[in-house]
């Protein structure tokens, strides 16, 4: 009888662990499917946003920025020569996407390779379906 009780407790513990693992994997699968389903929409939104960001005109950014910290975003000056999506991540708690782009931007006579990342969130009231929620961060692409 004692052996039966011990084996029942062990089986219950293993079943609980497996249930937690299945729940975790299911959530990860949902997040991955979400990124796959939204990747092209985020990319299209970003490709509209980026030329406006490099226009140097603040009024061009109004339709792209959220009412939070992003509304203080200062546009840059330059001409985009290439735009390549490098990475897209999703934060399920905040439901925000973080695209990272590698850009070639012509500034005067010189072209620079820039890695630019920002955070965007889906918004039904936004003209393009998303809004930028953080100030874009630039870094040199070539180390």
């Amino acid at each position: 009888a004692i052996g039966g009780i011990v084996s029942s407790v062990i089986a219950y513990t293993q079943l609980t662990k497996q249930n937690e693992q299945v729940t975790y994997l299911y959530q990860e699968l949902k997040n991955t499917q979400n990124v796959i389903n939204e990747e092209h929409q985020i990319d299209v939104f970003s490709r509209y946003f980026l030329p406006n960001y490099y226009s140097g005109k603040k009024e061009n950014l109004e339709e792209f920025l959220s009412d939070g910290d992003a509304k203080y975003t200062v546009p840059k000056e330059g001409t985009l020569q290439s735009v390549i999506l490098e990475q897209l991540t999703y934060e399920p708690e905040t439901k925000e996407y973080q695209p990272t782009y590698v850009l070639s931007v012509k500034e005067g006579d010189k072209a620079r390779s820039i890695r630019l990342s920002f955070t965007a969130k889906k918004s039904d009231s936004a003209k393009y379906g998303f809004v930028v929620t953080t100030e874009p961060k630039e870094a040199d692409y070539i180390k």
Side-chain angles (χ1 to χ4, degrees), residues 9 28 32 34 37 39 43 53 63 65 67-68 76 80 87 102 105 119 123 128 130 132-133 136 138:
V9 169
E28 286 297 308
T32 301
N34 191 26
N37 292 339
E39 180 177 13
D43 190 36
Y53 179 66
E63 295 176 332
L65 304 178
D67 292 334
K76 303 279 185 174
L80 287 175
Q87 180 180 347
V102 175
V105 179
T119 304
S123 171
Y128 298 102
F130 293 89
V132 175
T133 59
E138 275 188 7

Side-chain angles (χ1 to χ4, degrees), residues 82-124:
S82 74
V83 177
I84 302 168
L85 179 62
E86 180 181 35
Q87 180 180 347
L88 178 64
T89 58
Y90 176 67
E91 184 58 49
E93 286 83 33
T94 60
K95 296 185 178 180
E96 292 181 323
Y97 299 87
Q98 184 174 15
T100 301
Y101 283 87
V102 175
L103 311 172
S104 178
V105 179
K106 188 173 183 182
E107 297 169 336
D109 293 338
K110 289 200 285 186
R112 273 181 55 204
S113 292
I114 297 169
R115 179 177 277 127
L116 184 86
S117 61
F118 55 91
T119 304
K121 189 171 194 170
K122 198 169 194 149
S123 171
D124 293 333

